[in-house]
C-alpha cells in the first residue's frame, strides 16, 4: 500500500480498531484492504450489491443480484445495506455453515408460509421481492415471480423458493 503504515488501512482506519481476528497478519489485512478497494471504487467506505456484481462481471463470473444481496446481507452486521471494511474481513474469514444458511432460508420461507402448508402464493412472494428490493419496478417483480413459478400454479414450494433465491 502506498505510504500507509502496515497497521493503518485506507482512509486512516487503524487495523486494531476493526476488532479483527488476532491471527491475521498485517500482510493479510493489506490483501483484504486491496480487495475491498477494488470493489469500493468510489471510496465510499462500504461495498453495496452493485459493487459486488460489477467486480464479479470483471472476473468473468455471473453473480445475480439476489446472490450478491444474500452474500452482503449475511455480513451486513449493522444493516446499512452495504458492508464496511470490518464486515468485509469478517465475511472473508468466517467459514460458511450450510446448516445455518438452511435454517435462515427456512425461517425466511416460513414468514411467508402463513398457513404452514409448505407453499407460498405468488402474491406473498411478490411482496417479499418488493421488500427485498424496493427499487424494483412492478414489471421486474412480475418477471421474478414468473421465474419462481414457471408452471403458473400460483404457489411456490420451499425448493422452488430456494432455487429462486440462489439462482435467479
Amino acid at each position: 500500500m502506498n505510504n500507509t503504515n502496515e497497521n493503518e488501512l485506507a482512509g486512516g482506519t487503524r487495523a486494531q480498531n476493526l476488532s479483527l481476528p488476532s491471527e491475521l497478519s498485517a500482510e493479510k489485512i493489506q490483501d483484504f484492504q486491496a480487495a475491498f478497494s477494488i470493489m469500493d471504487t468510489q471510496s465510499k467506505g462500504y461495498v453495496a450489491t452493485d459493487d459486488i456484481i460489477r467486480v464479479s462481471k470483471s472476473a468473468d463470473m455471473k453473480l445475480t443480484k439476489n446472490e450478491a444481496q444474500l452474500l452482503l446481507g449475511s455480513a451486513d452486521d449493522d444493516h446499512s445495506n452495504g458492508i464496511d471494511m470490518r464486515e468485509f474481513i469478517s465475511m472473508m474469514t468466517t467459514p460458511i455453515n450450510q446448516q445455518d444458511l438452511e435454517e435462515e432460508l427456512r425461517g425466511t420461507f416460513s414468514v411467508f408460509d402463513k398457513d404452514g402448508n409448505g407453499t407460498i402464493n405468488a402474491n406473498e412472494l411478490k411482496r417479499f421481492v418488493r421488500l427485498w428490493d424496493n427499487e424494483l419496478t412492478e414489471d421486474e417483480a412480475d418477471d421474478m415471480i414468473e421465474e419462481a413459478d414457471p408452471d403458473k400454479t400460483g404457489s411456490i414450494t420451499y425448493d422452488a423458493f430456494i432455487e429462486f433465491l440462489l439462482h435467479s
Side-chain angles (χ1 to χ4, degrees):
M1 296 174 65
N2 299 350
N3 298 331
T4 302
N5 179 311
E6 69 179 30
N7 289 324
E8 191 173 303
L9 304 173
T13 303
R14 298 193 56 79
Q16 60 267 35
N17 294 339
L18 292 174
S19 301
L20 301 175
S22 60
E23 67 273 5
L24 286 179
S25 67
E27 182 179 348
K28 192 65 168 170
I29 292 171
Q30 288 177 345
D31 290 345
F32 285 133
Q33 168 62 16
F36 187 83
S37 295
I38 289 170
M39 293 182 285
D40 184 20
T41 57
Q42 298 174 342
S43 299
K44 303 175 301 240
Y46 66 92
V47 173
T49 304
D50 293 340
D51 299 317
I52 297 290
I53 291 170
R54 181 183 38 75
V55 169
S56 70
K57 283 180 184 175
S58 70
D60 290 330
M61 295 171 46
K62 184 175 182 346
L63 189 66
T64 67
K65 188 168 187 169
N66 292 346
E67 289 168 329
Q69 287 172 327
L70 283 172
L71 180 68
L72 288 180
S74 65
D76 186 12
D77 294 335
D78 61 3
H79 307 289
S80 62
N81 293 321
I83 58 172
D84 60 24
M85 181 58 148
R86 182 194 53 78
E87 292 166 325
F88 176 73
I89 292 175
S90 177
M91 176 183 76
M92 296 302 291
T93 58
T94 302
I96 296 173
N97 181 331
Q98 285 301 117
Q99 186 174 352
D100 289 347
L101 177 60
E102 175 75 16
E103 287 176 23
E104 189 173 324
L105 293 174
R106 278 203 186 278
T108 301
F109 183 83
S110 68
V111 166
F112 294 95
D113 183 14
K114 300 289 185 206
D115 59 5
N117 70 353
T119 64
I120 55 177
N121 70 43
N123 288 332
E124 290 169 328
L125 181 59
K126 187 173 186 176
R127 187 170 42 244
F128 170 74
V129 167
R130 295 299 302 259
L131 286 172
W132 194 11
D133 184 353
N134 59 2
E135 295 178 11
L136 204 63
T137 68
E138 193 72 23
D139 288 340
E140 290 170 330
D142 288 338
D143 289 345
M144 292 177 86
I145 300 311
E146 208 171 295
E147 183 179 332
D149 184 22
D151 298 331
K152 297 185 185 345
T153 62
S155 64
I156 294 102
T157 64
Y158 173 75
D159 290 337
F161 179 74
I162 298 306
E163 183 69 21
F164 165 74
L165 286 179
L166 297 180
H167 302 291
S168 60

